[in-house]
Amino acid sequence: MRITEIRSVVFEYELARPLGDVNSPSGRSLNSGLVVYVDTDAGITGLGLGSPPGRPHVQSLAGRLIGSDPRGVRGLWKQMMDSVFKLGPVGPVAVGLSALDLALWDLKAKANDEPLWRTLGASSPRVRAYASGLDSPLSDDELYAYYAGMAAQGISAGKLKGGADFQHDLRRLGIMRDALATSGKRVDLMLDVNEFWTPKEAIRRVREIERTFDLTWIEEPARRWDATGLRQVSDGVAAAVASGENLRHPGEFLHLVDHRAIDVFQVGSDTCGITGAMIVADMVYGIERPVSMMNSPGSFMAHAAAAMPNHTMLEVLGAGRDALFDIDIQLDDGWLVLGERPGFGIEFDADLLAAHTVEQASPTAMASPWGRRPGAGLYA
């Protein structure tokens, strides 16, 4: 089997509701994506998902893959990594490389005629889910309704977006807790402040929150690369510190590992693909730290999470980001249950995709379209 062609399509569509955080509190209503196809002479095509900034790098890396046997995924990943070593597999470069790695894993599983979780070596197709809302644009009533809806599906853990207003965060943590409690299960609460605080500010704020709530983790309380600052927060509060989802190359995690800087290592589809995310999971398994998979459209990264021996729970975001495709994953009593459809189990609606195909995504359809909020990293 040989790779014959690599194709990519950019698409854009309206979300079911606005998504936002401390950096974009009013939210965005558009979403965009990139689908990458890896074709073979055996008539099998692998499919990977990513974001539009990675498209030029998909095209530049394609020449490294054409003519290769796609089943040697980790070897091809190494070839791609080596080819970009000078610039570095970070930013849009990593996004493009990641989408190709995803497509290669999808293709390998399809060649095996089995779901990807099985190809990756998972012994069970079940992954615990936690609810995430990117919920800053939601009113208090909408916030309650969203998390109560998740609780009705058996989810009892939730992550609130916050960081800018302490009293506002306290009130909404209580709303989220009450909504999740309707699941009838013990509730786990997380707060994500998206690097808005300094370490000292984080310690002060979290200690105040912990007078009222038992936080499972505080997410990104300092900059993602600040190992000293993150360790300072972890030592200063009772909650675990979670970070890492915005790092790309596995080597970017080494400083955090060396300093025992964080308690929960977060990975995602852009951690240089499934291959990179699995390397990070194995790395931190050696120091007895858990990993948590960030959200992905249709929760397709649950396949990789199921194969990680130290995975704790995966972020689930209900906002219609799977509007253009169907996926063989079900949410059952708080657990993602992966099906038997080969590969990721993703099937795009060809007509819908064609109707939403664009040459270039709108700036407001990208994640964090307005960048970092003014005042971030300064004392309140």
Side-chain angles (χ1 to χ4, degrees):
M1 185 188 301
R2 300 290 168 183
I3 297 171
T4 56
E5 186 179 5
I6 293 175
R7 301 171 287 125
S8 62
V9 174
V10 173
F11 56 91
E12 182 176 300
Y13 58 95
E14 193 85 16
L15 289 160
R17 62 171 180 83
L19 301 179
D21 57 24
V22 69
N23 294 299
S24 52
S26 61
R28 60 185 173 92
S29 297
L30 286 176
N31 196 47
S32 61
L34 172 72
V35 58
V36 173
Y37 300 100
V38 177
D39 300 322
T40 66
D41 56 8
I44 303 172
T45 295
L47 179 156
L49 293 176
S51 56
R55 190 182 197 185
H57 302 285
V58 168
Q59 296 166 342
S60 65
L61 287 166
R64 301 276 176 173
L65 302 179
I66 299 296
S68 299
D69 186 331
R71 293 167 292 188
V73 182
R74 292 195 63 149
L76 295 177
W77 181 87
K78 179 64 161 54
Q79 289 181 34
M80 290 191 290
M81 293 289 278
D82 287 348
S83 72
V84 300
F85 89 101
K86 196 68 174 177
L87 180 61
V90 295
V93 177
V95 172
L97 189 153
S98 297
L100 285 166
D101 182 75
L102 298 175
L104 290 170
W105 277 113
D106 181 63
L107 202 162
K108 183 179 178 72
K110 287 175 177 174
N112 293 344
D113 194 28
E114 64 184 10
L116 181 54
W117 62 267
R118 187 169 286 125
T119 295
L120 291 170
S123 59
S124 170
R126 291 169 57 83
V127 177
R128 188 189 175 201
Y130 76 88
S132 177
L134 279 168
D135 44 46
S136 291
L138 301 183
S139 69
D140 288 356
D141 288 343
E142 290 168 335
L143 186 77
Y144 183 90
Y146 176 76
Y147 285 103
M150 289 294 190
Q153 300 177 78
I155 294 179
S156 60
K159 184 172 75 181
L160 181 78
K161 292 291 188 179
D165 184 323
F166 175 68
Q167 294 300 328
H168 180 78
D169 292 347
L170 276 181
R171 185 184 73 256
R172 286 166 72 87
L173 278 168
I175 292 170
M176 183 175 72
R177 177 199 57 196
D178 293 347
L180 291 170
T182 62
S183 67
K185 303 176 182 179
R186 191 198 77 177
V187 172
D188 291 308
L189 302 176
M190 289 84 78
L191 177 65
D192 184 0
V193 298
N194 293 100
E195 305 183 13
F196 189 66
W197 292 335
T198 64
K200 290 286 282 188
E201 181 73 3
I203 293 169
R204 186 164 72 91
R205 293 297 186 190
V206 174
R207 282 179 175 174
E208 291 182 57
I209 290 169
E210 288 179 332
R211 293 175 183 172
T212 307
F213 298 102
D214 179 15
L215 279 185
T216 298
W217 77 53
I218 178 70
E219 186 167 327
E220 293 189 329
R223 299 312 300 268
R224 67 201 73 165
W225 52 75
D226 183 4
T228 302
L230 289 164
R231 174 64 184 267
Q232 183 181 5
V233 178
S234 180
D235 288 345
V237 302
V241 168
S243 190
E245 68 180 29
N246 287 307
L247 300 178
R248 299 293 173 249
H249 186 290
E252 291 185 298
F253 289 82
L254 286 175
H255 201 43
L256 303 180
V257 172
D258 287 345
H259 284 73
R260 304 297 193 270
I262 58 178
D263 307 294
V264 180
F265 284 77
Q266 296 175 305
V267 295
S269 58
D270 286 338
T271 313
C272 285
I274 283 177
T275 302
M278 297 290 282
I279 288 171
V280 173
D282 289 344
M283 185 193 320
V284 303
Y285 180 77
I287 60 167
E288 293 284 313
R289 293 293 190 276
V291 294
S292 176
M293 187 68 69
M294 71 176 296
N295 67 79
S296 54
S299 299
F300 70 84
M301 283 297 286
H303 285 273
M308 294 173 174
N310 49 341
H311 186 266
T312 173
M313 52 184 170
L314 183 148
E315 180 183 21
V316 171
L317 173 62
R321 294 189 307 153
D322 53 356
L324 306 186
F325 64 83
D326 173 69
I327 188 167
D328 191 17
I329 297 177
Q330 304 297 324
L331 184 57
D332 179 35
D333 195 27
W335 291 76
L336 292 163
V337 181
L338 294 87
E340 291 290 330
R341 194 183 293 171
F344 282 118
I346 292 174
E347 293 180 354
F348 268 90
D349 182 311
D351 292 335
L352 271 178
L353 181 59
H356 290 85
T357 295
V358 295
E359 185 59 34
Q360 186 172 347
S362 304
T364 54
M366 308 296 291
S368 297
W370 296 282
R372 196 176 187 213
R373 182 172 175 166
L378 304 176
Y379 288 103

